[in-house]
Amino acid sequence: MKYSAKEPYYVETFYNVLEIKDADTLVVKHAFSKEEKEIRLYGIDAPEIRMNRKLKSDEEKTHLPASLLIELG
């Protein structure tokens, strides 16, 4: 999704946070329609909280052990 100062954008309200998956991903639920959405925060690259492919990549890039990166996540 791209935003610019000249283009209109859509604002959604009345969502409650159900779950925080990790530092940059949330699961929300609309208060009235009960629709659930997963939202990933744009421009944030936070450490992972579980061992996965991205964590191994982060470990190689930062030269930090995966156990430390999981604690930071």
Side-chain angles (χ1 to χ4, degrees):
M1 205 181 287
K2 294 182 180 181
Y3 295 113
S4 80
K6 295 180 181 178
E7 294 179 25
Y9 58 91
Y10 185 66
V11 177
E12 297 182 62
T13 57
F14 302 109
Y15 281 90
N16 297 316
V17 176
L18 292 180
E19 178 184 358
I20 299 174
K21 289 198 167 196
D22 58 21
D24 58 3
T25 309
L26 311 168
V27 176
V28 297
K29 183 176 185 179
H30 194 271
F32 303 115
S33 70
K34 308 301 183 202
E35 174 190 15
E36 291 186 17
K37 289 185 178 186
E38 184 172 300
I39 298 173
R40 185 148 195 278
L41 301 177
Y42 179 74
I44 307 250
D45 186 17
E48 301 298 311
I49 58 172
R50 292 179 196 85
M51 184 60 81
N52 60 25
R53 187 176 30 164
K54 184 179 178 300
L55 181 62
K56 290 183 189 259
S57 171
D58 289 348
E59 188 177 31
E60 290 173 7
K61 287 179 195 173
T62 63
H63 305 290
L64 296 172
S67 58
L68 176 61
L69 293 173
I70 288 174
E71 286 181 40
L72 293 172

